[in-house]
Structure formats: C-alpha cells, structure tokens
Amino acid sequence: MIPNLYKIPKHVAIIMDGNGRWAKRRGLPRVFGHREGAKTVERVIDIARDNKIQWLSLFAFSTENWNRPKEEVEAIMSLLVEYINTKVPSLIERNVRLRFMGRRYNLPEMILNTMEEGEKATEHCTGMNLVVALNYSGKAEIVDAARKIAEEGKTDITEEEFRKYLYIPEMPEPDLLIRTSGEKRISNFMLWELAYTELFFTETLWPDFGEEDFAQALYEYQSRERRFGRVLENK
Ligand code: FPP
C-alpha cells in the first residue's frame, strides 16, 4: 500500500462502528453485520502488520453493550469466542500477540477462560500487539485503577504512577484513533490514553473498511502536526 514509512503510528486504536447499519441496509439481522465485521478485523490486522504498526487496539464490546438485546449480546460473545478458538494459530503464524483489556471479574467463566487461553498461546509473539477491548469502558478503567491504588493505601500519586494501574500499563498511548460509520464521539473508549491522540473519522461502515480507508487515515495522520500542548520552536 502505503504512505510514508517515516511517520508510522506506533499504536492505532479503532472504534469499529456500523455493523448494525451495514446489515440493516441489506435487510439482514444485525448479527450478520457483526460477522462481517469479524472479517474486517482479519483484514485490518494484516494491513497494520504490513505497515509495521506495533499496537492495534479494537473496541469490541463496551460495559454498556450488555444492554443490547440478549440475542445480539450472545451473538457477539459467540463470535468473539469463535474468533479466538479458530484464529489463534493464524495469529501465532503472523507473530501477533493477543491481549484483552476491560473488566474481567464479572465475565462469564467460559468467555474468560477462552480469552486467557488466547493470551497465553500468543504470549511469545513479538510482531504486533492486538488489544481487544471487551467489557471495557474508559471510566471503569480509571475507577478500577483508583480502587487498586486505594487498596494499596497509596496517596502520593503522579500521572506516571497512575498509569501503572491501567489495564495494560506497558501499552503506549494511541497515536491515532479511527472511528468508522460517521459517528464523531469517543464513547467512553480509553479516556486516559487518548489525551493527545489524533482523531480520524470516516463514513465507511466497519464491515466495508479496507486498505484504502486505512491508507487515508495514515496519510491524514502523517499530515498532522502533533504538539502535545507545546508551542513548536520553528513557529
Ligand atoms: C459496533 O457496531 C460493533 C460492535 C458493538 C461489535 C463489534 C464486534 C465485532 C466486529 C465482532 C468481532 C470482533 C473481534 C475482535 C473478532 P454497531 O452494532 O453499534 O453498529 P450500528 O451503530 O450500525 O448499530
């Protein structure tokens, strides 16, 4: 594909949105959109790897998504379990390490076991980190970190120290966030980590998202000037 190799984001985060609308436009049940969305996940992993992106994180299921109709929740969970069960060998082949971020303690045991097996099986992979946010919300992550800090009785907390209590402390903050389907919101995704992230919104629905859309997001990212709140010296 692809853009300029000199300024490739280290971490790309994606809010995969529009599966339901994709299905609806075809007169299909929403779950067909999620199934198609899982195929996009595969495509996007390959594009990210080809571009030497080191961290790819995907918002798959939020703590609020449990309020969707029961059949849809079950369908998404089955898709995730099926994905882990069938794709782990191919992730290993592609040298991709699978990790999950989100609240684990109230997840059904079968799902949690499958997630942990996937993480364990790919632990040695060093090519790219694939982070799937499941039962995740940014506010919950911050609250969970604060709880752990309180449990440990710490009082002298700096930003650096706080970071260590997030779900994946070693995960670098996203350089680029992509949201599909035309919605322009953060929707409780990585509230701490997105502080200085460049945002890219596209009208493309997640099941249709492909190489061209990804390239467009990378070009756009490369054209941005990141200042992190500073005044640049040559200005
Ligand atoms: C948002 O579309 C999508 C989701 C809430 C589910 C995402 C899940 C997958 C793509 C399944 C597979 C995931 C992995 C990691 C293998 P929406 O339903 O909110 O769409 P809408 O806004 O058009 O209704």
Side-chain angles (χ1 to χ4, degrees):
M1 157 187 177
I2 251 311
N4 207 324
L5 280 175
Y6 82 98
K7 205 176 154 193
I8 287 296
K10 194 170 176 187
H11 180 178
V12 176
I14 306 183
I15 301 179
M16 312 181 283
D17 199 6
N19 293 347
R21 274 163 284 168
W22 184 93
K24 198 169 168 211
R25 281 179 199 174
R26 287 162 179 76
L28 297 167
R30 294 173 58 82
V31 57
F32 280 73
H34 297 313
R35 206 169 287 159
E36 208 56 34
K39 293 185 195 161
T40 307
V41 168
E42 281 300 281
R43 241 186 352 258
V44 164
I45 292 172
D46 287 333
I47 303 170
R49 268 187 76 246
D50 289 349
N51 283 284
K52 311 272 182 276
I53 288 162
Q54 294 169 36
W55 290 78
L56 174 69
S57 52
L58 306 174
F59 201 2
F61 197 85
S62 74
T63 48
E64 291 87 18
N65 285 154
W66 295 105
N67 299 322
R68 290 191 177 204
K70 190 165 165 270
E71 315 80 68
E72 186 176 349
V73 169
E74 281 173 5
I76 296 176
M77 287 300 149
S78 316
L79 258 177
L80 284 162
V81 167
E82 182 188 321
Y83 181 85
I84 304 166
N85 284 336
T86 58
K87 297 292 181 204
V88 159
S90 138
L91 291 177
I92 295 172
E93 227 165 80
R94 289 178 279 174
N95 201 17
V96 174
R97 178 172 180 180
L98 175 65
R99 298 160 180 253
F100 290 91
M101 73 188 301
R103 270 195 180 148
R104 298 196 181 211
Y105 57 79
N106 50 2
L107 280 176
E109 201 178 316
M110 191 274 284
I111 294 172
L112 188 57
N113 289 343
T114 311
M115 286 159 56
E116 288 176 353
E117 276 162 29
E119 288 184 319
K120 190 122 202 61
T122 58
E123 211 170 33
H124 61 287
C125 297
T126 53
M128 186 178 80
N129 290 282
L130 171 66
V131 179
V132 175
L134 200 162
N135 198 24
Y136 177 85
S137 99
K139 286 187 180 176
E141 180 177 28
I142 292 169
V143 168
D144 287 352
R147 263 196 210 140
K148 273 187 254 162
I149 291 167
E151 272 163 24
E152 290 181 17
K154 291 216 165 111
T155 50
D156 188 20
I157 287 291
T158 60
E159 288 184 15
E160 241 353 270
E161 190 63 25
F162 191 89
R163 254 190 127 253
K164 294 181 192 157
Y165 291 84
L166 297 176
Y167 292 135
I168 306 181
E170 67 274 31
M171 181 180 80
E173 291 169 6
D175 303 294
L176 171 65
L177 171 81
I178 300 172
R179 180 169 191 156
T180 57
S181 91
E183 308 294 346
K184 297 183 177 69
R185 286 187 292 276
I186 302 298
S187 297
N188 214 347
F189 192 39
M190 296 211 214
L191 295 182
W192 177 279
E193 297 87 338
L194 291 176
Y196 284 106
T197 301
E198 295 295 328
L199 309 179
F200 177 83
F201 301 103
T202 169
E203 294 294 322
T204 306
L205 303 178
W206 179 247
D208 294 326
F209 188 84
E211 201 159 347
E212 259 178 48
D213 300 283
F214 210 141
Q216 203 195 339
L218 291 180
Y219 280 126
E220 170 84 30
Y221 170 78
Q222 293 182 337
S223 72
R224 306 247 181 114
E225 190 177 70
R226 303 188 74 194
R227 294 168 42 188
F228 301 96
R230 295 185 304 256
V231 174
L232 296 183
E233 269 162 30
N234 58 352
K235 293 272 149 175

